[in-house]
Amino acid sequence: MPVVQFSPFSSLVHPSFWHKLTGLKVDVLKLDDAPLPIHASYSAGRSIRDRETGHDLALAASVSVAEESFESEAHYSPPSGSIVVKGTFKNFNTIEDFKTADKSALFNEEAQKIWEGILATRSTALLTRFLLITFADLKKYKYFYWFAFPAFVAKPAWEIDDIEGWKGASVEFSHSQLTSIHSQLRDQTSLLPFFLVKLDSASQSITISPVEEFSTFFLQAESPTIAFVDPSANPHNPGWPLRNLLAYLRALYPDTTTSLRILCWRDIDLPADDSGWKSRFGTIHTRSDVDPINIRSDTQLKLRPSAVGWEKNTQGKLAPRVADLAPMMDPKRLANQAVDLNLKLMRWRILPSLDLDKISSTRCLLLGAGTLGCYVARILMAWGVRTITFVDSARVSFSNPVRQPLFEFEDCLGGGKLKAECAAERLRRIFPDINATGHTLSIPMPGHPISATSISQSKSDVEKLEHLFDTHDAVFLLMDSRESRWLPTVLGAAKNKIVINAALGFDTFLVMRHGPRTRVEEEKEGKISLGCYYCNDIVAPKDSLTDRTLDQMCTVTRPGLAPMAASAAVELLVSVVQHPEGVFAVAPPPETRHGQTDQNQEAGEWEGESVLGIVPHQVRGYLGQFRNIRLVGAKFSKCTGCSDAVIDTYNREGFEMLLKTFNEDQYLEKLTGLDKLYEESEAEIQGVDWDEEDEA
Amino acid sequence: MFSRSQFDTACKAYVSKHNKWTWHEHSTFPGFGYMSRTTIQTMRSPINCLDEQLEGSSALDNIDEATAPIGIDVLTSQQYVIFSATFQVPTFYFTVHDAKGVPLSLYDILRSTLFRRFAFTGVERSNHALTLPGSSFPLLSQGDHPTLGTPCWYLHPCATAKAVGELMAEQQGKMEEEEEILLKTLETWVLVVRQVVDWGRE
């Protein structure tokens, strides 16, 4: 006769269980690894119909744990139609403890509890127990765990008649008898995990009773049947709880239990019709005459049989399982996804061809972590830019926080935090996944001579800045003085970076992109090469305290101006990046003060548009009139910032050339030929015969 | 399609007719109710997530002839019907997790029995959305459960009203009581959702 094989339990963990365990570990248990009582539940076996084959597939017999599993017995309420299982939970503090724990001892302890329950209380309430050991790697959201469902091994094993085997319960019982079992079970205060079924031969009526009444209930009964709520859905395998029930019966009633009629109750819900009963029935046997020499003694029976029941992992090995919740739980990853998701909404709706990766992969260097720097960084972040680097030499001062949105009052205390580092830290606080860094660095400027003692410091600052240019794609010039923009202008031109420049006046701003170094073919086509910040000037940058123009004054500005300029600067960068020609995108013609340009423009047919529209060269904002005007400025061949003379000399001489610029008055003028131009124009002015009398 | 109170009425009628579903109110605020149920799903093809091997998890292997092989691994799907205030229609929200309590990735969800096979052929897939080519809205995307605040997946409700409206137009005039009409509307919505979701018997 074939050996009866029992469907093992398999664990079913609800995500809330891990959340609860995390909270419990952090707030309550901490380093306490003492065992805790825990609850789980199982229900009758379920199967699903495979739509393709039409066959029923037996699902694993689940023991479920969820958040409420940690509640006390009184507060643990499993879904209706399920059975509560008590267990022992032990969480280890380290993975090593988890690995090296004496698992056999823990398991045997649990099995012993079941066995003692049988002998001492003769109750079936403790027949199904479980053990759960865990290690929670909270930093990685990884949970190592191992369930065990101890079941006593019957020796010799139970066997079933191979002709009859397991059959549908409706073969043994009538539809009305089964319906009667269903309704009697439902009338119990809680679902009985195990019960006895008795048939009255005269009336053919069915009575059920708790197993504890085994000795009295079955007196002179015909075909007594042992039943249990069966978590297995497999037609040929009864579920795990039956094993300990059989051990219980053999231990307590050895003389009357060598052959048993078993009803595997799987119909918690009434079937739709009388052919729909899922419960199974079979008669099983064990040989009582294995060892006829030994007369069964009380002590021999009381000896605990060996037990099995560790759950296998997903590879089918007897080893722990691992729940890796990192992809779902790491809030940084969630934030990361959410940021992208939000931007992707733009693609879904308005701009299907927007290339977000191109934007987010643009590494941005922000020179200046002041009012403009703070706003620019925030808007870049909103566009999904992942690399933002600040350069600033100052500390946060008391006037800063109200205007500079990355700083707080606290940052000003104790002399103030370094602005660049502080701003970067704030970006990470807003969005942990961002790659934000700050460098405290003062950018040497023309007209601010460098003394002999500070040359080496200055040289290392320049080297650092050069390195930052090399490792970024776009550079924002957001400093508060005019001359500090010179070195970055030269480096940007020499290293072919996208340079976006923003400067504030009291109620006016300038936002522009520096023109790239011209490509030969474009010069041939006669296209206008776009200038840099210095191209309109006929004086070289120098100490600006005595040389102010509209867009070079700092700090005294209408507060709303900085975010406007910052927004325009970032949006200009994004437009450049999205344009197929990138920095070479042709700028639209300038507007007049009346907001009009040529006919093409009015018809909205500017050829050079990207998905985001035109890519202007310069935008000047006039807050006094609430108006922005687009301008185009051509490259100036004698420019002190981007002319070939300057760039070529820098490329050739490097720091030596820069040092001359910082220290020698008129050096740039001589280098570019501006001095000659100046002399020529002076001469011309002298030559003009001003008719002053008419004027008067 | 529905006002908030019509949605509530329709759901409560639906719940009393289909006992797998339950109606929940928000714990503090009225007007945030939703209905939910739990279903069991499986993978159409085996899931490719093996347990990390731990060294030293030693030989507890004692062969037991009375242990049967285990059944098919179970996936649990929590399903919600939630009112979309924006579109004024019911919206289908859901989560799916495996036996380890790990929520499934979109890739694995699509290989589960939750959706009808081929329900999403020709659809563009990213890690967090499914979009029909040329469509302006994703068919399926991630979002927080509006009442519970937990992460969920949902079927985008933008095309719902139109589809339900077309089907309901054919029923016009056959019903009189308001509750009956509301219930029928919700059932028609279920019919629309069933085109992609394997709704099962109720």
Side-chain angles (χ1 to χ4, degrees):
Chain A
M1 285 194 291
V3 165
V4 174
Q5 289 193 315
F6 302 86
S7 262
F9 271 131
S10 58
S11 60
L12 181 58
V13 183
H14 193 273
S16 66
F17 182 83
W18 301 127
H19 288 266
K20 183 74 183 183
L21 171 58
T22 306
L24 203 64
K25 166 83 184 153
V26 173
D27 302 324
V28 185
L29 300 178
K30 291 171 186 155
L31 290 176
D32 184 359
D33 60 0
L36 289 177
I38 189 175
H39 297 92
S41 69
Y42 68 87
S43 184
R46 285 169 298 193
S47 55
I48 51 159
R49 179 146 303 166
D50 185 39
R51 278 186 179 264
E52 276 78 39
T53 63
H55 292 149
D56 279 339
L57 303 173
L59 298 175
S62 306
V63 167
S64 307
V65 289
E67 188 174 19
E68 56 270 20
S69 291
F70 291 105
E71 298 286 343
S72 64
E73 192 177 359
H75 292 100
Y76 178 74
S77 54
S80 68
S82 51
I83 285 158
V84 180
V85 188
K86 289 183 183 181
T88 302
F89 167 79
K90 186 171 166 68
N91 183 52
F92 291 90
N93 281 317
T94 66
I95 186 71
E96 283 71 29
D97 287 353
F98 179 84
K99 280 189 213 164
T100 56
D102 188 345
K103 299 185 181 69
S104 301
L106 289 165
F107 182 88
N108 286 332
E109 223 173 276
E110 215 52 35
Q112 188 62 33
K113 282 182 197 163
I114 301 174
W115 187 246
E116 282 166 5
I118 293 173
L119 300 183
T121 64
R122 300 172 81 92
S123 154
T124 56
L126 297 170
L127 282 185
T128 308
R129 280 193 69 90
F130 72 104
L131 169 70
L132 169 58
I133 57 172
T134 59
F135 166 69
D137 187 344
L138 299 183
K139 276 199 187 131
K140 293 184 183 152
Y141 298 100
K142 227 180 205 181
Y143 301 85
F144 297 82
Y145 68 101
W146 205 353
F147 277 88
F149 308 100
F152 297 118
V153 178
K155 283 196 173 113
W158 289 89
E159 293 177 343
I160 185 158
D161 193 34
D162 56 354
I163 298 158
E164 283 266 287
W166 294 100
K167 58 188 181 186
S170 50
V171 179
E172 185 68 20
F173 299 95
S174 71
H175 179 63
S176 63
Q177 287 168 340
L178 291 170
T179 310
S180 165
I181 294 175
H182 180 270
S183 68
Q184 289 183 56
L185 266 183
R186 209 188 40 206
D187 291 342
Q188 304 282 334
T189 47
S190 63
L191 185 60
L192 284 174
F194 310 102
F195 54 96
L196 306 174
V197 177
K198 182 166 72 174
L199 177 70
D200 185 281
S201 54
S203 65
Q204 289 294 300
S205 70
I206 289 273
T207 326
I208 70 166
S209 160
V211 176
E212 283 78 0
E213 291 163 29
F214 185 85
S215 52
T216 52
F217 183 68
F218 279 150
L219 283 174
Q220 291 128 31
E222 269 181 53
S223 44
T225 304
I226 312 291
F228 72 109
V229 173
D230 188 0
S232 165
N234 192 309
H236 307 296
N237 303 110
W240 212 239
L242 179 59
R243 297 190 82 163
N244 288 348
L245 177 63
L246 294 174
Y248 169 96
L249 293 171
R250 293 296 295 139
L252 300 182
Y253 312 104
D255 301 326
T256 50
T257 53
T258 51
S259 182
L260 292 169
R261 290 159 48 85
I262 304 293
L263 174 62
C264 308
W265 189 254
R266 299 176 183 179
D267 292 288
I268 297 299
D269 295 320
L270 266 185
D273 54 66
D274 56 7
S275 65
W277 293 99
K278 295 191 289 272
S279 298
R280 307 291 292 174
F281 178 86
T283 306
I284 61 173
H285 316 275
T286 186
R287 276 163 289 146
S288 59
D289 53 351
V290 189
D291 200 358
I293 304 150
N294 271 347
I295 299 159
R296 258 185 272 102
S297 71
D298 224 30
T299 48
Q300 191 190 356
L301 274 172
K302 298 291 153 33
L303 216 59
R304 177 167 67 81
S306 68
V308 292
W310 284 102
E311 183 177 29
K312 289 178 176 163
N313 70 4
T314 36
Q315 282 98 318
K317 297 221 168 72
L318 278 172
R321 293 179 165 225
V322 186
D324 184 1
L325 268 70
M328 298 298 161
M329 269 182 68
D330 184 345
K332 285 187 194 174
R333 290 206 217 180
L334 288 180
N336 209 340
Q337 284 184 3
V339 166
D340 287 343
L341 195 66
N342 198 295
L343 285 166
K344 282 182 179 152
L345 283 170
M346 284 193 203
R347 270 166 51 87
W348 290 339
R349 234 195 264 218
I350 304 153
L351 294 170
S353 54
L354 188 66
D355 188 345
L356 289 168
D357 291 341
K358 240 172 156 178
I359 300 170
S360 64
S361 64
T362 303
R363 299 164 298 172
C364 294
L365 178 62
L366 275 54
L367 305 181
T371 313
L372 283 170
C374 287
Y375 282 116
V376 164
R378 291 223 58 150
I379 303 159
L380 285 173
M381 199 153 58
W383 265 112
V385 170
R386 292 296 202 270
T387 304
I388 298 177
T389 307
F390 292 100
V391 169
D392 203 303
S393 60
R395 290 175 180 273
V396 185
S397 71
F398 286 105
S399 67
N400 294 158
V402 292
R403 284 170 171 261
Q404 307 184 359
L406 294 176
F407 305 123
E408 294 167 7
F409 173 73
E410 302 285 322
D411 303 330
C412 316
L413 302 176
K417 291 183 182 165
L418 293 167
K419 289 183 94 167
E421 277 85 351
C422 183
E425 184 202 313
R426 286 299 142 72
L427 292 190
R428 290 192 299 271
R429 194 192 283 184
I430 293 164
F431 179 46
D433 217 44
I434 200 160
N435 172 21
T437 43
H439 300 272
T440 299
L441 187 64
S442 63
I443 299 171
M445 299 176 269
H448 295 250
I450 291 163
S451 64
T453 50
S454 51
I455 283 182
S456 67
Q457 175 63 44
S458 172
K459 191 174 182 189
S460 98
D461 285 349
V462 169
E463 277 167 10
K464 207 167 170 189
L465 194 62
E466 284 170 329
H467 176 71
L468 286 171
F469 269 71
D470 288 335
T471 52
H472 288 79
D473 307 301
V475 184
F476 283 85
L477 310 192
L478 310 168
M479 305 85 121
D480 55 4
S481 80
R482 175 178 169 72
E483 56 270 30
S484 60
R485 295 163 200 263
W486 179 80
L487 178 55
T489 299
V490 173
L491 294 181
K495 295 174 184 295
N496 273 318
K497 300 295 173 181
I498 305 173
V499 177
I500 306 285
N501 202 329
L504 302 175
F506 168 67
D507 60 0
T508 59
F509 69 79
L510 166 69
V511 166
M512 66 178 296
R513 57 181 168 122
H514 286 187
R517 298 202 74 187
T518 324
R519 292 191 293 207
V520 182
E521 65 267 28
E522 275 172 359
E523 250 168 61
K524 279 185 196 155
E525 283 170 29
K527 283 187 184 168
I528 303 173
S529 302
L530 301 178
C532 77
Y533 186 61
Y534 294 102
C535 280
N536 292 339
D537 293 345
I538 52 159
V539 286
K542 53 182 65 161
D543 188 340
S544 64
L545 289 172
T546 52
D547 182 23
R548 300 181 174 187
T549 60
L550 179 70
D551 53 29
Q552 64 200 80
M553 287 181 294
C554 59
T555 53
V556 188
T557 71
R558 288 178 66 169
L561 197 65
M564 288 179 172
S567 303
V570 174
E571 295 302 333
L572 180 58
L573 170 76
V574 172
S575 295
V576 169
V577 169
Q578 285 302 304
H579 196 282
E581 298 276 308
V583 283
F584 295 102
V586 177
E591 290 172 300
T592 66
R593 292 276 294 188
H594 304 288
Q596 288 180 348
T597 54
D598 59 38
Q599 265 70 12
N600 279 344
Q601 184 78 45
E602 264 190 281
E605 285 175 13
W606 176 246
E607 51 175 323
E609 288 197 8
S610 76
V611 286
L612 291 169
I614 57 163
V615 189
H617 179 226
Q618 303 183 11
V619 179
R620 274 177 195 261
Y622 298 89
L623 193 49
Q625 292 152 45
F626 285 92
R627 175 163 31 183
N628 290 349
I629 291 176
R630 292 194 313 270
L631 297 169
V632 178
K635 207 178 202 60
F636 177 38
S637 63
K638 294 182 169 54
C639 173
T640 55
C642 68
S643 63
D644 289 346
V646 172
I647 305 304
D648 292 343
T649 316
Y650 163 74
N651 280 338
R652 213 171 40 244
E653 297 178 13
F655 185 68
E656 290 308 308
M657 176 266 188
L658 300 178
L659 198 59
K660 279 183 248 172
T661 312
F662 305 143
N663 288 350
E664 293 174 25
D665 197 26
Q666 296 292 307
Y667 170 76
L668 279 176
E669 280 88 341
K670 279 178 218 144
L671 183 65
T672 54
L674 260 185
D675 55 344
K676 287 211 181 73
L677 183 73
Y678 184 71
E679 281 162 22
E680 284 163 18
S681 55
E682 282 293 294
E684 259 179 57
I685 291 167
Q686 296 295 323
V688 172
D689 186 15
W690 299 102
D691 195 349
E692 290 179 24
E693 281 170 22
D694 274 10
E695 288 279 313
Chain B
M1 181 176 151
F2 279 147
S3 68
R4 176 76 229 189
S5 66
Q6 286 175 325
F7 173 77
D8 288 14
T9 310
C11 286
K12 284 168 185 165
Y14 192 89
V15 163
S16 60
K17 196 171 157 187
H18 306 273
N19 64 7
K20 296 278 187 232
W21 287 90
T22 23
W23 174 256
H24 307 265
E25 288 288 348
H26 187 277
S27 50
T28 3
F29 304 106
F32 286 93
Y34 60 91
M35 55 184 214
S36 79
R37 70 168 177 182
T38 306
T39 68
I40 294 297
Q41 310 290 340
T42 56
M43 292 303 285
R44 290 191 202 280
S45 42
I47 204 162
N48 241 345
C49 90
L50 297 176
D51 284 306
E52 189 176 311
Q53 284 295 336
L54 282 187
E55 305 158 46
S57 49
S58 57
L60 295 155
D61 253 307
N62 36 0
I63 309 291
D64 172 46
E65 58 171 349
T67 301
I70 57 167
I72 296 166
D73 270 339
V74 169
L75 302 176
T76 309
S77 172
Q78 206 73 42
Q79 304 183 347
Y80 309 94
V81 177
I82 291 167
F83 185 63
S84 161
T86 313
F87 292 91
Q88 302 274 301
V89 293
T91 313
F92 182 70
Y93 278 67
F94 66 93
T95 61
V96 190
H97 67 87
D98 65 13
K100 296 178 182 183
V102 179
L104 260 58
S105 67
L106 183 53
Y107 176 72
D108 285 331
I109 288 173
L110 295 180
R111 297 195 304 145
S112 78
T113 51
L114 174 65
F115 291 108
R116 287 175 180 277
R117 197 181 276 246
F118 312 122
F120 291 119
T121 27
V123 163
E124 288 170 16
R125 199 191 75 214
S126 73
N127 280 335
H128 26 242
L130 287 180
T131 313
L132 275 174
S135 160
S136 51
F137 281 95
L139 225 49
L140 177 68
S141 52
Q142 272 177 319
D144 285 350
H145 187 295
T147 309
L148 300 173
T150 52
C152 282
W153 296 92
Y154 66 94
L155 289 176
H156 205 281
C158 65
T160 309
K162 188 167 169 275
V164 173
E166 281 169 7
L167 290 168
M168 282 305 287
E170 295 170 18
Q171 314 264 352
Q172 212 91 81
K174 292 180 190 165
M175 292 167 293
E176 286 178 354
E177 267 186 66
E178 201 205 350
E179 190 183 307
E180 191 192 348
I181 298 172
L182 294 176
L183 175 61
K184 190 69 203 171
T185 310
L186 185 59
E187 286 174 337
T188 308
W189 173 83
V190 170
L191 213 61
V192 172
V193 174
R194 282 185 96 120
Q195 292 174 345
V196 286
V197 177
D198 201 337
W199 199 260
R201 284 181 305 153
E202 288 187 312

